Amino acid sequence: MSRHLTGRAAAPGVALAPAAVIRPPAASEAGEAGTPAEERARLDDALERAADQLEQLAEHVNQELGDDEAGIFEAHAAFAQDPELADRARKAVAEGDAAAAAVASAFDSFRALLEASESDYLAARAEDLDDVRDRVLALLAGEAFEVEAPRELSVIVAHELSPSQTATIPRAVIAALVTETGSPTSHAAILARSLGVPAVVGATGIVDLATDGADLAVDGHQGLLIVDPDDEERAHIQQRLDKDARRREELQALRELPGTTADGHRIELAANIGAEPDLADAVDAGAEGSGLVRTEFLYLDRTAAPDVDEQAEFISQVLRTFPGHRVVVRTLDVGADKPLPFVDREEEPNPALGLRGIRLSLARPGLFRDQLRALLAARADVGDQGGRLAIMFPLVSLPAELTEARRHLVEVAAEHDHDLGGLEVGVMVETPAAALAADRLASHCDFLSIGTNDLLQYLFAADRLLHSVSELADACDPIVLRLLDDVAAAAHAHDAWVGVCGEAASDPATAVALIGLGIDELSMTPAAIPEIKAALRDVTRADCRHALDTAMAQPDASEARDALSAGPT
Ligand code: PEP
Ligand code: MG
């Protein structure tokens, strides 16, 4: 008989395949502690072997998946070699603890420090720390830490999947991912979305319910799991798989076509690039360039800033990926929840309101100017063999910040004899102040790109990382639509083009509103491009404007969203 279980939907799609249950290494009984000298030797040996294994894993991942993903494991290896962490554990051993107990307490006290920062970014590092701790404990217990990956296409089921465990499972065998713990932003969910397979997280009890090899159906839209589905359920799942396959074919047929409305109004549909693997996904999705290259990943998880050559090399690669299209590279947007270890900053009680985005770049001109050097070097290197570079400054709140950032750009160009002719420069509109100053900003730059993720957070005073307040901030809210209508009008009045690069661009109802208000470019996660392209090809520009006017007249976000989803009347 089939058995059902519900978790949280974390990546869309439907799958039916045998379950492969990944079990954590059994927790071994804590034995008697040896002498402090014996335990110290065991401790040092386990830390050293963990660091070696992680360095090898980083190398393996580098070859399989590229630099960016390998960086996670380089950071893990650094944790295993961290002198302060090792000192804490050695101190506990010297006081008579067994090596395993000392490792557990040293890692846990480090974890508490990271968690106390209340930042999502550092909380994710805490997850990484657990991963390293478990590896060291497994080594001390003489057990294997790596998972035994299935050889055939399977639904991977686990209590929790750590990044290093996930990295050892070949991608080709993953039909879906299901975990008992986690949230839609956990590693497993992110991996599933990048692989285009469904995921369900928070499925408490699935590890006991699904035996190895039992058929498991996963509905990543609704968070439903069916173990051993019966004939009727199988038929139903098969129908959905067929429907998904037909839809993929329909969308694939649009791949080479440009983004337009049904009446031929042109909208550029571009990809957001957050790391190297996004480049191939963007090309597969038929992206028309990039409206947002998030350069932060080049700086995070390292102890020193990347040098100019390394940055220029990556930017050249991005430009070469999109010949004939525009590539908007955003200058460094760190600070807040993405601190850089090599930049000293004072403690910030409200990091989202602190020294982040362009503010940090202007306060640390050395870092900023190196990045500008790299961008201009990549532009010169690629010439007309790749995309057209545009430079965008994040989290601008005053026109004076744009002026100052431009001054640095002009000076750096002069130092290196770079010609700035034809280079578009723009700002992100992601603070209420920038939205209200759109006309002044637009009169001093070539484009505005609306970052709805931050703009909504600041507009509604609702932390974008906090689930409990997430419902307050909706891009379809009539007050947001009216504000964006003004921003678009201000940009166009100064002959600047206007784009949207926040998550809102990938929501079909919001995209209709955005086209209604005259947005010229939508940039989004590559996987969302085909559906948005299809949705816009079903409506005319006038339909979009009509839907927008109706939405703006509604009392709240939910009724505005209904008006936008209703389709042409
Ligand atoms: C935004 O704020 O909408 C945006 C695109 O920038 P990020 O999500 O990187 O802050
Ligand atoms: Mg932002």
Side-chain angles (χ1 to χ4, degrees), residues 6 15 36 43 52 61 126 168 220 273 302 321 327 337 412 428 436 438 473 553:
T6 316
L43 170 70
D52 283 352
V61 171
T168 52
I273 303 296
R302 34 199 308 168
T321 305
V327 175
D337 61 326
V412 167
M428 289 194 73
L436 296 171

Side-chain angles (χ1 to χ4, degrees), residues 366-431:
L367 197 67
F368 184 45
R369 287 168 81 109
D370 268 355
Q371 183 171 39
L372 296 175
R373 275 182 196 105
L375 297 185
L376 295 178
R379 181 174 186 250
D381 168 44
V382 171
D384 52 13
Q385 301 301 303
R388 296 185 307 283
L389 176 75
I391 296 181
M392 173 161 84
F393 304 121
L395 210 85
V396 166
S397 33
L398 301 176
E401 290 169 323
L402 168 61
T403 313
E404 184 66 358
R406 262 188 183 285
R407 180 180 66 77
H408 286 293
L409 179 64
V410 169
E411 287 176 10
V412 167
E415 260 171 36
H416 297 270
D417 258 349
H418 286 302
D419 177 6
L420 291 183
L423 176 77
E424 288 185 319
V425 174
V427 298
M428 289 194 73
V429 173
E430 46 185 353
T431 65

Side-chain angles (χ1 to χ4, degrees), residues 259 266-270 288 325-326 388 520-524:
R266 185 83 173 85
I267 304 119
E268 274 172 70
L269 297 180
E288 301 172 273
H325 292 294
R326 182 194 292 123
R388 296 185 307 283
D520 304 291
E521 178 233 48
L522 297 177
S523 192
M524 65 202 82

